[in-house]
Amino acid sequence: MKPIRVRAGYVVATTLLASTLTTATQVPSAVAVEDRSAGAAAVRHWNAVAVTTLVTATTPIPEQPLHLAAVQRAVYDAVLATESHAHHPSLVAAVGSAAHTVLIAEFPAQAARLDQELATALVGAPEGRALATGLALGHAAAEAALQERAGDGRGGTVLPVPAQGPGVWRPTPPNLAGAVSWLGSVRPFVLSSAAQLRPAGPPALDSATWARDYNETRLLGSATSTTRTAAQTEVARFWADPPYVQNQRALRTYTQSSGMGARRTARLFALADTAAADALIACWDAKYHYSFWRPFSAIPLGATDNNPATPADASWVPLLPTPNHPEYPSAHSCGTTAFATVVAALAPGHRLDLTLDSTTTGTAHRFTSVRALIYEVANARVWGGIHWRFSTDAGSRIGRAVAALVLRKSHADDDD
């Protein structure tokens, strides 16, 4: 990622930024030189603002990484722009301006709140040229990020629900269509196409693999399972938190406790969220290509698959609510694997030490290897009754592959 030359501006964002600049420059500043540690804190603060914006807008979970990636890439480019500028621009202003501009453009209904966030964030920032230059650099980085994603396919055509039959996905009641079905048609950030990593597909319904994984979820993922342990239930519920609220919160804590500066913090958020976004795009391409059925509909209809090893259970319901999109592959495995793989790759010595907490369970889980984190997420989806094991495996492979491509592209950009 490198700053891109700005083309035509965004009128709404520009107008709001100008009004915020007027307000901010009227606030007296007690410091002449900005504390550089404030830059990393600003990156974390605006990530939290972005997450709050998504939650307030009730943005569908699979769509959230697209917005997070756009914000964090703009923030990272803004940080880079301040480093190469001769007049010591305010890093806090650049970061705030970049995030504010992207969020205003994508969530104009929250403009008043976002304006106030920026005005508050700039209290205590250097005045004069440093402030004005920082705001301008951040705004330019944001406009470049927005231009880069213009016409990327977001909010496209809703795909039709396929004709029903054995092995075929059906929407989660009371829904009549799939969630964000257009996501697989969005232009990726790094992948050459959404279908670049499309997996081979789920196993045949008459196969031993299907029977094995069907029965694992049937026995362990039921709401009334007598096989699942209390520890397994806690794991399933732990990962029922909204993934991109949960992992962004963890990454803010991680970057702060690690003492990362602004550049490393911004880069980590940008790459991890880019990987999650592309992983979800690839995942949705596969989901709606194969349209494979979820356990909530498959297990009551087990007798229809012509496999004698998959007994039907008409009363079966999953432990967790079933997401409203096709089953194969697992979205959590795609996105979280990509995210965690990037975090681990950029950690000192490539050793992950990441703690996540769950508002669902009130517990925290610490991971010292990316493999352990990926495996626990996969288990959680099976034990929660919303996925088959082969789908979590396929999702993890997509996530790893996307992360590798994002990291490779990042290193190539750094070498230019």
Side-chain angles (χ1 to χ4, degrees):
M1 276 175 291
K2 292 190 174 181
I4 305 169
R5 188 173 297 279
V6 180
R7 289 176 280 173
Y10 282 74
V11 176
V12 173
T14 303
T15 302
L16 292 173
L17 181 60
S19 66
T20 304
L21 175 58
T22 300
T23 302
T25 53
Q26 292 172 350
V27 177
S29 173
V31 293
V33 179
E34 187 172 69
D35 181 352
R36 298 300 287 179
S37 67
V43 174
R44 290 190 294 269
H45 171 74
W46 281 99
N47 173 263
V49 171
V51 171
T52 297
T53 303
L54 293 172
V55 172
T56 301
T58 63
T59 306
I61 287 173
E63 184 182 343
Q64 291 177 3
L66 299 180
H67 299 285
L68 289 168
V71 170
Q72 300 303 155
R73 289 165 71 90
V75 165
Y76 180 45
D77 282 348
V79 171
L80 294 181
T82 65
E83 292 181 350
S84 59
H85 202 280
H87 296 297
H88 305 292
S90 167
L91 189 52
V92 169
V95 168
S97 176
H100 172 270
T101 302
V102 173
L103 291 170
I104 284 282
E106 298 192 341
F107 300 93
Q110 298 185 55
R113 183 183 65 82
L114 292 167
D115 283 349
Q116 186 56 54
E117 285 282 2
L118 182 57
T120 301
L122 295 177
V123 172
E127 295 181 359
R129 174 183 286 184
L131 177 63
T133 304
L135 288 169
L137 290 174
H139 185 60
E143 287 227 9
L146 290 165
Q147 289 284 354
E148 180 187 17
R149 299 307 297 170
D152 64 359
R154 270 185 281 180
T157 303
V158 175
L159 300 180
V161 174
Q164 297 303 292
V168 180
W169 167 76
R170 59 188 66 193
T172 307
N175 299 291
L176 300 177
V180 291
S181 59
W182 46 262
L183 182 56
S185 299
V186 170
R187 171 166 42 88
F189 288 86
V190 173
L191 297 180
S192 60
S193 75
Q196 179 180 346
L197 300 173
R198 186 185 289 171
L205 296 182
D206 61 357
S207 68
T209 300
W210 165 242
R212 179 198 67 201
D213 291 2
Y214 173 101
N215 285 305
E216 180 186 22
T217 299
R218 179 177 66 84
L219 294 172
L220 287 171
S222 167
T224 58
S225 173
T226 58
T227 305
R228 187 182 58 245
T229 67
Q232 289 171 329
T233 299
E234 191 276 337
V235 167
R237 294 192 184 281
F238 179 92
W239 291 101
D241 265 29
Y244 305 101
V245 176
Q246 186 179 44
N247 65 31
Q248 301 296 292
R249 183 170 64 239
L251 198 55
R252 291 194 297 272
T253 301
Y254 171 75
T255 56
Q256 181 174 16
S257 63
S258 299
M260 293 186 186
R263 182 173 183 168
R264 284 186 62 202
T265 300
R267 184 170 186 258
L268 183 54
F269 272 107
L271 296 184
D273 288 340
T274 296
D278 269 14
L280 266 290
I281 292 170
C283 189
W284 250 250
D285 166 79
K287 278 181 178 289
Y288 283 90
H289 179 77
Y290 294 111
S291 290
F292 198 68
W293 58 358
R294 289 273 188 176
F296 88 90
S297 61
I299 294 174
L301 297 173
T304 68
D305 65 6
N306 291 320
N307 190 325
T310 58
D313 182 349
S315 64
W316 193 93
V317 293
L319 173 68
L320 301 179
T322 298
N324 184 37
H325 41 77
E327 191 275 337
Y328 178 87
S330 163
H332 214 321
S333 289
C334 288
T336 304
T337 295
F339 175 91
T341 300
V342 167
V343 175
L346 298 181
H350 306 297
R351 295 178 180 175
L352 185 71
D353 189 355
L354 184 67
T355 299
L356 295 99
D357 61 77
S358 170
T359 58
T360 303
T361 60
T363 56
H365 293 189
R366 180 187 178 196
F367 298 95
T368 56
S369 79
V370 69
R371 183 175 182 178
L373 190 154
I374 292 168
Y375 186 58
E376 184 171 294
V377 169
N379 281 335
R381 307 323 262 176
V382 173
W383 297 340
I386 57 178
H387 275 296
W388 318 111
R389 179 69 62 182
F390 56 77
S391 293
T392 64
D393 291 344
S396 295
R397 286 192 293 271
I398 288 173
R400 287 191 181 96
V402 169
L405 289 170
V406 168
L407 290 164
R408 190 180 309 146
K409 176 66 164 56
S410 170
H411 294 321
D413 285 349
D414 288 345
D415 291 340
D416 286 349

